[in-house]
Amino acid sequence: MKVEEITGTEAVIAQEKKYGAHNYSPLPVVLTKGEGVYLWDIEGKRYYDFLSAYSAVNQGHCHPKIIGAMTDQASRLSLTSRAFYNDKLGDAEELVCKQFGYDKALFMNSGSEAVETAIKLVRKWGYTKKGIAPNTAIILAAERNFHGRTTGIISFSTDPSSTDGFGPANPGYKVIPFNDIETLEKELISHPQICGFLVEPIQGEAGVLIPHDGYLKKAHELCIKYNVKLITDEIQTGIGRTGKMLASYYDDVRADILIVGKALSGGVLPVSAVMCDDEIMMCIKPGEHGSTFGGNPVAAAVTIASIEVMLEEKLTENAFAMGMIFRERMNDLKAKYPNLISAVRGRGLLNAVDIIPSETYGSASNVCLMLMEKGLLCKATHKHTIRFSPPLVITEGQMLECCDLIANVIASI
Ligand SMILES: Cc1ncc(COP(=O)(O)O)c(C=O)c1O
């Protein structure tokens, strides 16, 4: 099928099915335009976006300041590689280091690459500073984690769909239950070769699982006690998504190594970064790690604009306030339909509603299809959970309209 013959939704989907890998199961909607909280499909129908490209579009679709920074920089200088300096990267590094309170930043592209970078950094620190015997370092991770899709990262995934058929797993990882301080301490006592504990402050892909208050703080205290670095993966939870600039701030934690991505670029480019202090970052020497595109001038310009938009428009504060409204309304729905909704949870605008499966309406993904019909796009994560994560620019009026829309769909089933 030639591109020019494609006119309708079905044709586009058929083309993708024919020529693209089947590694996702998208909703049957073909999008062509986005602005703020809205998306439009090729038939001209408008939707509210309640996924934000898995929390990458926190600043809203096609934010003029971010797009302006990108096009301006792209027309001047797009890529130098880091064989040379460029006149934008330093500004972005300084901005994020000052914003998040670290000595240094290392820019990469995808979130997975940043997680791999953090793994390399903490291992190098473990060998050169902690004195771990060569090639014996262990990194702890939490059950039900999601840190990306590389073969290194899936080596410590507990999700069979991430791992089955992709082995052998890499050694050097140990998985412990999430939100379990006692097991963490037991492992730290038993294995002095542990160099890092990698954890999501809220497990997004697992279904927006929030640990108990103080978990991260206690985990960090233990890491300090046993000379282990706490690595927080804030790729999904960071940049205002949970109603604070970082979800770790709910526990007053400044991780030893911070990983951000997704909304660091406002969702216009793959941009990620790892931040830490010199004690860790300076363990890596020239030639030991890098990326052709990591820290390119366009990524740097977009990062600066994206962080500025977050601050200028007070999007973190808005996420906090809009999240309160959303959960209040969803809890009302849960009280009204206890046989349909079993749980509502979240922080800021990273929220989940658990749907009790039934013969009549099926599972959470069927409810997503019904919401799509009514003009709201969201996605099920695992079988029973719908994640609701709109761009942080959503207004109160829009949020109330969306809550009504969800309530109407729930009432109709
Ligand atoms: C917590 C977390 N870490 C890492 C990743 C991987 O990021 P990317 O898809 O950009 O590689 C994701 C993506 O959803 C994520 O949510």
Side-chain angles (χ1 to χ4, degrees):
M1 191 186 309
K2 291 203 188 101
V3 172
E4 55 270 26
E5 288 169 10
I6 294 168
T7 51
T9 297
E10 276 178 28
V12 176
I13 292 175
Q15 182 193 36
E16 263 229 37
K17 284 215 160 119
K18 184 163 189 308
Y19 293 106
H22 292 195
N23 57 330
Y24 277 84
S25 51
L27 293 188
V29 57
V30 179
L31 300 167
T32 186
K33 194 180 118 176
E35 194 184 308
V37 291
Y38 298 117
L39 289 165
W40 284 264
D41 72 12
I42 56 170
E43 321 281 350
K45 179 172 170 178
R46 194 188 76 176
Y47 302 85
Y48 277 106
D49 179 7
F50 262 61
L51 184 66
S52 304
Y54 297 101
S55 297
V57 193
N58 289 4
Q59 298 86 340
H61 290 277
C62 298
H63 193 290
K65 176 165 173 163
I66 302 172
I67 299 298
M70 178 171 73
T71 50
D72 183 48
Q73 184 59 45
S75 58
R76 202 142 25 95
L77 179 67
S78 62
L79 185 63
T80 56
S81 83
R82 293 201 39 213
F84 314 110
Y85 290 94
N86 70 64
D87 62 0
K88 268 281 170 292
L89 178 58
D91 289 344
E93 289 167 338
E94 182 175 347
L95 179 81
V96 296
C97 283
K98 288 186 172 161
Q99 176 66 42
F100 296 103
Y102 291 92
D103 289 345
K104 286 193 172 44
L106 202 172
F107 275 83
M108 300 298 285
N109 310 285
S110 70
S112 305
E113 276 180 297
V115 173
E116 291 282 357
T117 300
I119 289 170
K120 286 177 73 176
L121 273 167
V122 81
R123 282 184 176 168
K124 197 75 163 177
W125 169 85
Y127 296 127
T128 56
K129 295 281 167 78
K130 187 171 173 179
I132 297 173
N135 300 323
T136 63
I138 293 175
I139 293 171
L140 294 180
E143 272 169 12
R144 306 193 66 183
N145 69 74
F146 185 85
H147 297 288
R149 297 287 192 181
T150 62
T151 54
I153 292 169
I154 62 167
S155 295
F156 49 91
S157 170
T158 56
D159 176 1
S161 64
S162 285
T163 57
D164 280 6
F166 301 118
N170 293 354
Y173 304 104
K174 206 159 191 316
V175 177
I176 59 172
F178 182 58
N179 199 16
D180 180 344
I181 283 295
E182 273 166 38
T183 309
L184 173 64
E185 181 151 33
K186 250 191 245 161
E187 293 296 336
L188 293 172
I189 293 170
S190 329
H191 303 289
Q193 70 275 39
I194 294 171
C195 55
F197 175 39
L198 170 63
V199 67
E200 299 153 86
I202 295 173
Q203 292 190 322
E205 293 308 298
V208 189
L209 304 185
I210 306 173
H212 64 256
D213 286 349
Y215 166 68
L216 205 62
K217 194 171 186 58
K218 189 80 194 119
H220 196 204
E221 284 165 9
L222 289 177
C223 285
I224 293 166
K225 183 169 167 194
Y226 294 98
N227 195 21
V228 163
K229 297 301 180 193
L230 176 71
I231 311 161
T232 48
D233 178 346
E234 296 245 21
I235 291 166
Q236 183 160 164
T237 52
I239 323 295
R241 170 55 56 189
T242 66
K244 295 207 186 256
M245 197 51 143
L246 296 175
S248 323
Y249 294 170
Y250 278 98
D251 254 2
D252 275 331
V253 165
R254 172 193 174 274
D256 303 299
I257 302 178
L258 166 67
I259 313 170
V260 286
K262 293 190 190 267
L264 187 60
S265 73
V268 304
L269 285 176
V271 182
S272 59
V274 180
M275 280 167 255
C276 55
D277 288 341
D278 286 343
E279 184 211 359
I280 303 168
M281 193 68 93
M282 295 307 277
C283 291
I284 284 194
K285 305 279 182 267
E288 293 179 345
H289 188 63
S291 153
T292 304
F293 281 86
N296 70 74
V298 183
V302 152
T303 296
I304 294 166
S306 298
I307 296 287
E308 284 175 358
V309 165
M310 288 297 306
L311 300 173
E312 286 160 9
E313 299 186 15
K314 299 197 180 346
L315 296 184
T316 305
E317 293 83 343
N318 192 54
F320 189 91
M322 294 306 110
M324 293 296 220
I325 294 175
F326 180 79
R327 284 187 299 282
E328 196 183 314
R329 289 290 306 270
M330 292 305 112
N331 274 318
D332 289 348
L333 273 184
K334 176 174 166 270
K336 206 163 163 195
Y337 304 102
N339 297 329
L340 210 155
I341 296 175
S342 60
V344 174
R345 61 184 170 276
R347 275 194 170 142
L349 285 174
L350 184 61
N351 290 293
V353 173
D354 287 344
I355 301 290
I356 300 167
S358 106
E359 299 266 300
T360 44
Y361 56 82
S363 59
S365 26
N366 274 347
V367 177
C368 290
L369 281 172
M370 294 177 211
L371 290 166
M372 182 187 89
E373 289 298 317
K374 298 289 175 211
L376 188 144
L377 292 175
C378 58
K379 200 83 171 63
T381 170
H382 298 282
K383 241 189 164 147
H384 309 306
T385 304
I386 304 178
R387 176 174 27 196
F388 291 98
S389 48
L392 314 186
V393 294
I394 193 164
T395 63
E396 186 170 342
Q398 290 166 336
M399 179 55 94
L400 291 173
E401 195 184 322
C402 291
C403 289
D404 287 345
L405 188 155
I406 296 166
N408 287 339
V409 166
I410 296 291
S412 75
I413 50 185

